[in-house]
Amino acid sequence: MKKQFNSIEEINHELKILDVQRELEFHRVVQSIDDLKDAFTPMKIIRNTFGSVASIVSNSNGVQTFLLTTLLKFIFKRKS
């Protein structure tokens, strides 16, 4: 539905509101991008990866723990 205006002042007022809303949305997008950049720093990726592995190991039985630790030892020995 189109909005009808009765004066130039109403139009200017609506344009100011729309401009503030546009700026607010722009800042929200910029903030989201900054948050995303922070989430993908190398240290956070490593921390999240090891946290996931640690939770898998703590919730698994003995055989799974043994296989996972053996695999991790193999991977780290290959990189050294």
Side-chain angles (χ1 to χ4, degrees):
M1 187 164 104
K2 291 187 177 185
K3 196 169 191 177
Q4 291 188 356
F5 301 100
N6 295 323
S7 68
I8 296 292
E9 289 81 24
E10 287 180 13
I11 295 171
N12 287 335
H13 180 71
E14 186 69 23
L15 286 173
K16 285 180 184 179
I17 291 172
L18 291 172
D19 188 50
V20 169
Q21 288 174 342
R22 182 188 57 80
E23 280 189 49
L24 181 62
E25 289 302 319
F26 175 77
H27 288 292
R28 284 182 183 159
V29 168
V30 169
Q31 183 63 45
S32 295
I33 291 170
D34 289 342
D35 292 345
L36 192 59
K37 285 180 185 176
D38 289 342
F40 285 105
T41 61
M43 187 55 100
K44 286 193 178 181
I45 291 172
I46 291 170
R47 192 176 306 144
N48 288 341
T49 301
F50 283 119
S52 298
V53 169
S55 69
I56 290 170
V57 170
S58 67
N59 294 331
S60 63
N61 62 27
V63 174
Q64 289 174 334
T65 303
F66 173 74
L67 291 174
L68 189 58
T69 54
T70 304
L71 177 66
L72 289 173
K73 285 179 186 177
F74 175 76
I75 291 170
F76 285 118
K77 284 182 182 179
R78 282 186 69 194
K79 289 186 178 187
S80 298

